[in-house]
Amino acid sequence: MIETLFQTLEIVLDPSRIGFMFLGIMLGLTIGLLPGLSGTVGMSILLPFVYGMDPFTGMALLIGMIAVVHTGDTFPSVLLGIPGSSGSQATIMDGFPLAQKGEASRALGAAFFCSMIGGIIGGVVLFLVIPFVRPLVLAFGSPELFMLALLGLSMVGILSGKRPVIGIIAGLFGMMLGTIGSAPAVPEYRYTFDWLYLFNGIPLPLIALGLFAFPVLIDLLVSNQSISKGAKLSGSWLTGVKDSLSHKWLVFRSSALGAVTGFVPGLGGSVVDWLSYGIAKQTSKKNESFGKGDIRGVIAPESANNAKEGGALIPTLMFGIPGSGTTAILLGGLLLMGMEAGPQLVTTQLPLTMSIIWTLIIANIFGAIACLLLIKPIAKFSTVHPSKLVPFLAVLLILGAYQTSNHWGDIILFLVIGIVGWIMKQLDWPRAPILIGFVLALSAERYLWISFSRFGLEWLTRPGVIIIAVLIVAILASSFFLNRGKKIKAIAEDKGVRS
């Protein structure tokens, strides 16, 4: 297999294929820069062009885009507090506060360097697990997938800060929103109020844009100040790179988590950055600064979201089970090029799989370098006065909301959810739990229904279920005791000040 890996490198470095890879990188970075768009949209645009194309060339184009979408989407997340895509939501928590302090370059430097390292680790993981992938994929049945969805929901307590009860309510509200539309197991529609638009459910981009983007626009108009307070920038991207190197174990751990989470079909796409962020906050010392501009809050999710793509390709290529929305479209691209996902990609078509690994790694490196070179000019967006910036962003966000289904209902829901998000921000209520609950609602319900219909109550005794359940209890318990310890410490400090 090692010999095939190095033989394939010569194919990947063919000038024509390198050209298509750079085209994919350029398009991927552009898609990432535009708030509300996603890798799924970009892949949909490219799909017609790969019809009948040589598989090595076509995959260079598609993988080039997949590799860097979650690199480019860091720009709007850090500079504007707007999620560039579903994989960059957690970066807002600390990236945007850093930009408000004038340290946008530092945050972006750390983000892009960690994205590069995460992408490389994701490619390496994809290579290493190929010989063992079949038993690993088949080990996850519906009970284990349901428990993994609950594991994602357990992050709600960690991300709710001092308001865990409100966080839980917000998570349940997100799950309720996620159940709108067609039921996953029975032929019925729920909470649609006979509005045809809601039959397919609420699109995820509307939830993300409404909760995070709309409040930013309102606050910018009210404050009448640029995003970077004082309209100046300090620091450089080199400082962010040094921060990443000083937290190298966090980078490696988050990248490994991203690759593993992406490997689980249907789980990783919109959750991996929150999982990584929550675990980083839970396990870090002096974590009171998380959410206020802590560079570790940028390093963790950015390391994970690019590594996730390597993990997501494992079930996609080996079994035709997409690990994310972008890899689902990748399956269609394979069919258009006369290929089919399955065991043959590790036997007769092994060189194609190796070319995908090489492209994933090379594209991550060049994508990160391109972003680092663009930091200085693009970071100046954070110093632009709201009177000039807000109208442009408003048009961009409305277009981004409308493109989700090209229905006027997109704009109405964007405004409604935006108002809810703005109210929650004014009340200092956590908004992240809504996203987590929304993303996991459908998969959790589906896997729970399948588990009961196939196994009855016996699935509760499966070893994998028990292991994940213990992990969930440990996370919830540690979150409870951590919050309790902080309250006791705060009370003691308050008494000390009064005395």
Side-chain angles (χ1 to χ4, degrees):
M1 198 165 80
I2 297 291
E3 183 180 353
T4 305
L5 180 68
F6 286 103
Q7 288 176 350
T8 309
L9 181 60
E10 185 178 349
I11 300 175
V12 173
L13 295 178
D14 179 88
S16 63
R17 297 187 178 101
I18 284 289
F20 276 99
M21 183 189 73
F22 277 108
L23 177 61
I25 291 173
M26 182 182 69
L27 293 173
L29 292 178
T30 303
I31 291 293
L33 274 168
L34 299 175
L37 300 184
S38 64
T40 306
V41 175
M43 291 286 284
S44 301
I45 295 172
L46 287 183
L47 208 55
F49 297 99
V50 301
Y51 177 74
M53 192 178 282
D54 165 48
F56 289 96
T57 306
M59 294 308 289
L61 177 63
L62 295 177
I63 298 297
M65 169 172 279
I66 288 177
V68 301
V69 164
H70 293 302
T71 304
D73 63 9
T74 306
F75 278 116
S77 297
V78 170
L79 298 178
L80 307 174
I82 299 171
S85 73
S86 60
S88 63
Q89 296 158 3
T91 306
I92 295 173
M93 303 295 285
D94 286 280
F96 188 58
L98 282 168
Q100 291 178 312
K101 297 176 183 178
E103 299 183 7
S105 295
R106 177 193 177 196
L108 290 170
F112 296 140
F113 181 78
C114 292
S115 292
M116 180 182 70
I117 299 300
I120 293 173
I121 291 176
V124 172
V125 168
L126 175 59
F127 171 73
L128 293 177
V129 303
I130 285 176
F132 316 102
V133 68
R134 184 175 181 84
L136 284 174
V137 171
L138 296 179
F140 288 97
S142 56
E144 287 78 15
L145 291 172
F146 169 69
M147 294 303 295
L148 285 171
L150 291 186
L151 178 62
L153 287 172
S154 69
M155 291 295 108
V156 166
I158 297 174
L159 296 171
S160 301
K162 299 177 182 178
R163 300 173 179 266
V165 175
I166 294 177
I168 292 172
I169 294 173
L172 294 174
F173 177 66
M175 292 193 75
M176 185 189 73
L177 292 178
T179 60
I180 292 175
S182 59
V186 292
E188 65 178 30
Y189 294 91
R190 302 168 301 187
Y191 314 121
T192 59
F193 306 103
D194 293 326
W195 188 16
L196 188 62
Y197 170 76
L198 291 177
F199 277 31
N200 289 325
I202 299 176
L204 174 61
L206 292 183
I207 299 291
L209 290 174
L211 287 177
F212 290 98
F214 189 87
V216 170
L217 294 185
I218 301 300
D219 288 346
L220 281 174
L221 286 174
V222 172
S223 67
N224 200 33
Q225 289 183 333
S226 61
I227 293 170
S228 177
K229 300 297 189 292
K232 63 180 181 179
L233 296 173
S234 61
S236 71
W237 62 267
L238 284 173
T239 306
V241 173
K242 292 176 182 177
D243 289 327
S244 304
L245 292 174
S246 64
H247 295 95
K248 54 184 177 294
W249 293 116
L250 177 60
V251 174
F252 179 79
R253 186 182 66 195
S254 300
S255 299
L257 175 66
V260 172
T261 308
F263 161 76
V264 181
L267 181 68
S270 305
V271 184
V272 61
D273 56 330
W274 289 118
L275 279 172
S276 180
Y277 183 87
I279 291 174
K281 180 179 179 181
Q282 187 75 352
T283 58
S284 297
K285 297 179 180 178
K286 299 180 180 180
N287 60 5
E288 295 83 2
S289 58
F290 272 76
K292 302 175 182 177
D294 193 314
I295 196 65
R296 294 173 295 179
V298 174
I299 290 173
E302 288 299 318
S303 299
N305 61 20
N306 274 41
K308 175 260 300 180
E309 297 301 336
L313 286 172
I314 297 171
T316 304
L317 297 176
M318 303 309 125
F319 305 102
I321 304 172
S324 64
T326 52
T327 52
I329 298 179
L330 184 68
L331 287 176
L334 280 171
L335 291 173
L336 290 175
M337 290 181 285
M339 303 295 295
E340 190 174 349
Q344 65 270 20
L345 288 180
V346 291
T347 53
T348 57
Q349 299 295 334
L350 183 61
L352 179 61
T353 304
M354 294 301 175
S355 74
I356 291 173
I357 294 172
W358 277 118
T359 304
L360 189 65
I361 293 173
I362 295 172
N364 267 287
I365 294 173
F366 281 102
I369 292 173
C371 286
L372 288 172
L373 294 176
L374 290 171
I375 283 178
K376 190 171 182 179
I378 294 182
K380 291 180 180 179
F381 270 106
S382 65
T383 65
V384 178
H385 194 271
S387 61
K388 299 177 181 178
L389 186 61
V390 170
F392 168 74
L393 290 178
V395 172
L396 199 62
L397 291 175
I398 291 173
L399 288 175
Y402 183 73
Q403 64 83 33
T404 55
S405 61
N406 296 322
H407 190 282
W408 57 269
D410 293 331
I411 299 176
I412 293 178
L413 276 180
F414 168 66
L415 294 175
V416 171
I417 296 171
I419 293 172
V420 172
W422 181 78
I423 293 173
M424 291 183 71
K425 185 177 181 182
Q426 300 309 305
L427 297 174
D428 196 26
W429 289 359
R431 292 167 286 166
I434 294 182
L435 271 174
I436 295 178
F438 180 83
V439 168
L440 293 176
L442 203 60
S443 59
E445 183 181 4
R446 180 189 300 114
Y447 294 136
L448 180 62
W449 186 87
I450 295 174
S451 298
F452 274 113
S453 63
R454 288 187 61 190
F455 306 105
L457 292 174
E458 293 182 4
W459 66 272
L460 293 170
T461 61
R462 290 165 67 109
V465 170
I466 294 173
I467 292 172
I468 299 173
V470 170
L471 184 59
I472 292 172
V473 172
I475 291 174
L476 293 176
S478 61
S479 176
F480 171 77
F481 287 115
L482 182 64
N483 285 325
R484 185 179 180 185
K486 287 181 181 178
K487 289 181 180 178
I488 294 173
K489 183 179 178 181
I491 293 172
E493 290 178 351
D494 185 55
K495 287 181 178 179
V497 170
R498 291 181 179 179
S499 62

